């Protein structure tokens, strides 16, 4: 068969045609792609133009902004008119930042006004410095009056910050508060003092006990610092710095091993020692002890001079069987020897209190000996149970004002003396208490005498038969006994003379 041959020129022309078709396709796709990009870009540009944030420079031509600004300023000024503190306005504008400062007119009625105004000025300057310059902002500074109760008001620097939100086209508000508030005694029209809050030296000494225990409890090793804590200078009504809060108080501390310069106490921790007229009533409402029922009879059983390993355990067994809680006034020298027994007393719900270390008559020894007798016992009891004793019974009941001040604890005396130390006879002890017990009194006994332990079960039964409810002395006294005072019962409190 004869093979046909195509001319070379024909083959080349076909190749050229294919190239032209391909080029046209490429050109078409490119034009289409560019068109799509241009269309999308135009749509996006239109959207962006419609939704872009308004620049600060546009605010002058924005009537809507002007309306919102006028409404805000009217609201601010109307609000200030209704504040309890009448004030005058000072206005300043720097670019887009406008400041409105309201200064009280009756400045004489505000304690520490200069310091409060200085803090307000400093706070406003700091906020203005940190504010963006391209954003419309209103800074409103004023001194707010805080009414805690009828007797206490506070004055606090406040800055309201209004920032214009360009997207939302509205003002956004936040508030900055000054760190310091000046509180005033409404009765005296003077700055609030520790005298207002604690009323007396005896109350501030009671607070000292709470502080000592708190510092020890918060320490990783209370036994390592207890000497320094017990020897820490006492806080005072006129020499202690403080920061008042409606529900708590921060007290400045002398130099101490914890390194703390101040301590915060909730009023509920010291409810029995604060003047309720000068704190937020809600802060102590739930913790104030309920008064004893006037229609009931109460009595407290107290035991001195222990613990004794021969007699105290048997006494504890009887008290546990009878469901009675008592108060044990312990000698430090016996605590050191019988720590496990002291711990048992505390764990079974009895009160552990101090009766000095070695039982001297404290009014007959020098001040250093008194201090040693108290502190050595405090340390011994703390080492045994992790708590300092809060109450003290002086040996022989002997105390005077100087001794009481060194002791720094409530002095718990007695009104019914069982005379067990004299009779050493169970029946005589029972008879004595039968004949001398009366309502709201404290009974003195000694857990070192076997005859006393022999008598206790009958004493409890007969007291209950007479209608008495038996309480530890701390509960009988409403958990608010205070230093420099002696207590013979819940209705017999006497200042130490």
């Amino acid at each position: 068969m004869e093979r046909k041959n195509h001319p070379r020129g024909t083959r080349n022309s076909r190749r050229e045609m294919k190239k032209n078709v391909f080029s046209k396709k490429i050109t078409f796709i490119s034009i289409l792609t560019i068109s799509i990009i241009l269309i999308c870009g135009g749509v996006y540009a239109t959207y962006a133009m419609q939704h872009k944030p308004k620049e600060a420079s546009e605010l002058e031509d924005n009537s809507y902004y002007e309306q919102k600004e006028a409404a805000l300023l009217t609201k601010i000024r109307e609000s200030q008119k209704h504040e309890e503190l009448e004030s005058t306005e000072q206005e300043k504008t720097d670019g887009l930042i406008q400041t409105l400062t309201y200064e009280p007119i009756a400045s004489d009625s505000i304690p520490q006004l200069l310091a409060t105004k200085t803090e307000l000025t400093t706070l406003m300057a700091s906020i203005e410095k940190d504010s963006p310059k391209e954003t419309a902002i209103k800074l409103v500074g004023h001194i707010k009056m805080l009414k805690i109760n009828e007797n206490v008001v506070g004055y606090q620097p406040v800055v309201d910050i209004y920032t214009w939100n360009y997207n939302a086209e509205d003002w956004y508000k936040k508030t900055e508060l000054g760190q310091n508030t000046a509180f005033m005694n409404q009765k005296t029209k003077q700055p609030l003092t520790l005298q207002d809050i604690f009323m007396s030296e005896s109350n501030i000494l009671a607070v000292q006990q709470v502080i000592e225990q708190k510092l020890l409890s918060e320490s990783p090793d209370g036994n390592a610092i207890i000497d320094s804590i017990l020897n820490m200078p006492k806080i005072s009504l006129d020499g202690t710095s403080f920061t008042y809060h409606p529900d708590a108080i921060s007290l400045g501390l002398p130099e101490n091993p914890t390194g703390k310069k101040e301590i915060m106490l909730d009023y509920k921790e010291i409810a029995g020692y604060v003047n309720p007229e000068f704190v937020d009533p809600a802060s102590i409402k739930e913790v104030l002890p309920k008064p004893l029922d006037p229609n009931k009879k109460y009595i407290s059983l107290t035991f001195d001079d222990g613990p004794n390993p021969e007699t105290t355990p048997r006494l504890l067994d009887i008290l546990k069987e009878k469901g009675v809680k008592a108060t044990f006034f312990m000698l430090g020298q016996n605590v050191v020897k019988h720590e496990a027994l002291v711990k048992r007393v505390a764990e079974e719900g009895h009160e552990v209190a101090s009766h000095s270390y070695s039982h001297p008559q404290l009014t007959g020894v020098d001040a250093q000996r008194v201090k040693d007798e108290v502190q050595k016992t405090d340390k011994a009891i703390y080492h045994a149970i992790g708590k300092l004793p809060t109450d003290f019974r002086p040996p022989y009941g002997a105390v005077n004002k100087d001794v009481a001040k060194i002791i720094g604890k409530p002095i718990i005396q007695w009104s019914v003396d069982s005379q067990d130390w004299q009779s050493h006879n169970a029946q005589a002890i029972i008879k004595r208490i039968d004949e001398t017990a009366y309502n709201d009194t404290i009974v003195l006994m000694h857990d070192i005498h076997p005859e006393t332990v022999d008598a206790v079960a009958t004493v409890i039964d007969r007291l209950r038969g007479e209608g008495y409810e038996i309480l530890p002395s701390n509960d009988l006294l409403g958990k608010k006994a205070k230093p420099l005072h002696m207590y013979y019962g819940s209705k017999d409190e006497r200042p130490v003379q």
Side-chain angles (χ1 to χ4, degrees):
M1 176 182 277
E2 189 177 279
R3 182 179 179 185
K4 293 183 179 180
N5 294 320
H6 296 284
R8 182 184 298 272
T10 302
R11 289 198 300 270
N12 289 339
S13 64
R14 286 177 179 173
R15 288 189 185 126
E16 290 298 325
M17 288 175 65
K18 288 180 180 179
K19 286 181 179 179
N20 290 337
V21 171
F22 180 75
S23 296
K24 288 178 180 179
K25 287 182 178 179
I26 292 297
T27 301
F28 175 76
I29 291 171
S30 298
I31 293 171
L32 180 62
T33 301
I34 292 170
S35 299
I36 291 172
I37 291 172
L38 289 172
I39 291 169
C40 292
V43 171
Y44 175 79
T46 302
Y47 176 87
M49 289 295 291
Q50 292 174 347
H51 294 84
K52 74 171 185 175
K54 295 177 175 57
E55 298 294 334
S57 60
E58 295 179 309
L59 290 177
E60 295 178 359
D61 302 324
N62 188 337
S63 60
Y64 181 73
Y65 167 81
E66 292 174 354
Q67 292 173 9
K68 297 290 283 188
E69 179 186 41
L72 174 64
L73 292 173
T74 299
K75 180 181 177 181
I76 291 170
R77 286 165 175 149
E78 284 299 316
S79 175
Q80 287 300 315
K81 288 179 183 178
H82 291 90
E83 289 287 335
E84 292 195 50
L85 284 177
E86 188 179 357
S87 59
T88 57
E89 178 187 294
Q90 295 179 356
E91 187 272 341
K92 182 188 75 172
T93 301
D94 183 4
L96 292 174
I97 299 179
Q98 182 181 18
T99 60
L100 302 174
T101 305
Y102 290 90
E103 183 172 321
I105 293 175
S107 58
D108 292 343
S109 65
I110 304 176
Q112 304 156 342
L113 177 62
L114 180 59
T116 304
K117 286 172 57 179
T118 300
E119 183 176 3
L120 177 61
T121 301
T122 302
L123 182 60
M124 290 190 72
S126 175
I127 296 171
E128 183 175 359
K129 180 181 177 182
D130 295 338
S131 297
K133 306 304 179 187
E134 68 279 3
T135 303
I137 293 174
K138 311 289 184 192
L139 300 182
V140 182
H142 57 105
I143 297 174
K144 188 172 184 62
M145 179 175 167
L146 308 172
K147 188 170 184 179
I148 308 306
N149 55 35
E150 293 299 319
N151 299 308
V152 182
V153 294
Y155 299 92
Q156 183 178 36
V158 177
V159 179
D160 294 321
I161 307 163
Y162 297 88
T163 305
W164 179 253
N165 186 311
Y166 293 101
N167 287 327
E169 293 191 325
D170 206 349
W171 295 97
Y172 167 74
K173 177 186 177 183
K174 69 175 183 177
T175 300
E176 294 281 349
L177 303 177
Q179 294 184 349
N180 301 303
T181 302
F183 288 96
M184 184 177 75
N185 180 336
Q186 285 284 70
K187 293 180 178 179
T188 64
K189 303 300 181 184
Q190 296 296 318
L192 204 60
T193 66
L194 287 183
Q195 181 75 46
D196 295 327
I197 300 166
F198 294 116
M199 301 176 287
S200 67
E201 183 184 11
S202 57
N203 280 333
I204 203 74
L205 284 173
V207 172
Q208 178 86 23
Q209 290 184 276
V210 177
I211 291 173
E212 291 171 352
Q213 181 62 59
K214 191 165 187 173
L215 291 174
L216 290 170
S217 297
E218 293 176 352
S219 170
D221 186 1
N223 285 302
I225 65 170
I226 188 167
D227 283 308
S228 298
I229 295 298
L230 294 179
N231 284 297
M232 187 172 65
K234 306 293 185 185
I235 58 175
S236 63
L237 291 174
D238 56 0
T240 300
S241 62
F242 73 99
T243 301
Y244 173 90
H245 303 276
D247 58 353
I249 190 165
S250 175
L251 295 170
L253 292 177
E255 185 176 345
N256 63 83
T258 69
K260 286 189 175 183
K261 295 183 178 180
E262 61 180 6
I263 189 167
M264 181 74 77
L265 297 173
D266 292 338
Y267 292 132
K268 63 183 179 182
E269 298 178 79
I270 51 176
Y273 313 115
V274 298
N275 186 344
E277 294 183 0
F278 288 91
V279 304
D280 181 356
S283 67
I284 59 175
K285 181 179 179 182
E286 300 300 323
V287 296
L288 286 175
K290 294 181 180 179
L292 298 177
D293 188 337
N295 298 314
K296 288 186 177 182
K297 295 166 65 177
Y298 299 94
I299 201 164
S300 178
L301 300 184
T302 66
F303 299 92
D304 285 11
D305 293 348
N308 183 312
E310 302 299 324
T311 52
T312 304
R314 187 160 64 92
L315 173 60
L316 290 172
D317 291 341
I318 295 169
L319 294 175
K320 187 174 183 178
E321 179 186 349
K322 296 292 185 180
V324 168
K325 306 301 181 188
T327 302
F328 289 76
F329 289 95
M330 298 184 178
L331 293 178
Q333 62 187 10
N334 290 336
V335 172
V336 171
K337 298 174 187 175
H338 312 295
E339 284 190 357
L341 189 49
V342 179
K343 189 174 182 181
R344 179 186 168 186
V345 172
E347 288 177 344
E348 293 187 3
H350 305 289
E351 182 187 2
V352 176
S354 175
H355 192 38
S356 82
Y357 193 82
S358 60
H359 209 275
Q361 182 168 319
L362 297 178
T363 53
V365 299
D366 61 36
Q368 186 59 50
R369 175 71 185 280
V370 175
K371 183 177 180 181
D372 290 343
E373 289 284 332
V374 174
Q375 289 192 357
K376 287 174 68 177
T377 307
D378 284 352
K379 288 170 59 178
I381 291 175
Y382 177 80
H383 192 268
I385 65 173
K387 290 184 179 181
L388 295 170
T390 58
D391 295 335
F392 190 92
R393 174 170 285 165
Y396 314 105
V399 66
N400 57 36
K401 192 169 185 178
D402 291 337
V403 169
K405 193 165 185 178
I406 297 171
I407 292 170
K409 305 178 192 295
I411 304 300
I412 311 301
Q413 302 282 20
W414 60 90
S415 41
V416 177
D417 186 351
S418 69
Q419 295 185 348
D420 57 348
W421 53 274
Q422 185 177 40
S423 69
H424 294 284
N425 181 284
Q427 291 305 313
I429 294 167
I430 295 167
K431 183 174 184 293
R432 171 72 181 176
I433 295 175
D434 272 348
E435 292 175 348
T436 58
Y438 58 99
N439 189 25
D440 297 318
T441 54
I442 298 171
V443 179
L444 169 65
M445 291 185 279
H446 297 78
D447 58 320
I448 59 173
H449 301 316
E451 300 84 1
T452 299
V453 179
D454 293 340
V456 165
T458 302
V459 167
I460 292 171
D461 290 341
R462 292 199 179 183
L463 288 173
R464 283 177 167 167
E466 292 292 325
Y468 286 100
E469 184 174 335
I470 304 172
L471 304 173
S473 61
N474 198 281
D475 290 346
L476 182 74
L477 302 175
K479 297 183 178 179
K480 56 182 180 180
K482 50 194 177 184
L484 306 182
H485 288 246
M486 296 187 294
Y487 298 85
Y488 294 84
S490 63
K491 296 178 181 178
D492 191 349
E493 173 185 352
R494 310 173 195 177
V496 180
Q497 301 296 331

